[in-house]
Amino acid sequence: MDMSQYRDLFLTETREHINNLNKLVVILEQEPDNRETIDALFREAHSIKGMAATMGFDQTARLSHHLEDMLDGFRSTGKVPSSSVDYLLTGIDLLDGLLDDLQSNQPERSVDAFMSEIPQE
């Protein structure tokens, strides 16, 4: 199936999810044990992962899956360690950069270096 017809919709919706992620992390910085915020962050990452995988954007799907897994762990503990907040913000910035790559019809940059630097809790 030709997914190119959905490209603009993907870019627009993913940008909205990234904006929501940024807003939610600001809340999380003030309330690191706010379960609703942690759950909302997880859902945003999950949505990006599914859409990116469907569109065949592998690096975006890998990164959002990585963030989703990390957030799922925080859902089970009910708290995000402060050392992980900066990591989340860096990951969101990288997602934004991947979206910029796609928007300018460039290949997605690699996410390997970021994913190898998981914060110690």
Side-chain angles (χ1 to χ4, degrees):
M1 174 188 257
D2 180 21
M3 299 302 286
S4 62
Q5 63 183 331
Y6 302 109
R7 183 182 179 83
D8 288 340
L9 181 62
F10 168 81
L11 293 171
T12 300
E13 287 191 10
T14 302
R15 190 73 70 193
E16 289 175 19
H17 287 295
I18 290 171
N19 289 337
N20 290 338
L21 284 168
N22 279 312
K23 291 174 189 173
L24 289 164
V25 170
V26 169
I27 295 169
L28 191 65
E29 286 180 304
Q30 304 302 313
E31 304 170 26
D33 57 351
N34 183 324
R35 280 192 162 293
E36 289 178 21
T37 302
I38 296 169
D39 288 343
L41 280 161
F42 173 85
R43 286 190 302 273
E44 296 290 344
H46 179 77
S47 294
I48 294 170
K49 176 194 76 174
M51 292 186 313
T54 299
M55 294 296 295
F57 300 137
D58 296 334
Q59 295 299 307
T60 303
R62 281 183 63 219
L63 176 57
S64 52
H65 190 197
H66 174 73
L67 294 175
E68 178 192 40
D69 285 348
M70 180 181 222
L71 290 161
D72 194 37
F74 300 148
R75 288 171 67 188
S76 63
T77 64
K79 185 172 182 161
V80 177
S82 59
S83 62
S84 296
V85 173
D86 285 339
Y87 186 78
L88 284 171
L89 285 169
T90 302
I92 295 166
D93 286 345
L94 183 52
L95 275 175
D96 199 39
L98 287 164
L99 206 60
D100 289 343
D101 293 343
L102 294 170
Q103 207 148 20
S104 24
N105 294 312
Q106 300 296 314
E108 294 173 284
R109 64 194 73 183
S110 174
V111 298
D112 292 339
F114 172 79
M115 291 175 54
S116 68
E117 297 176 7
I118 298 172
Q120 300 303 314
E121 323 234 341

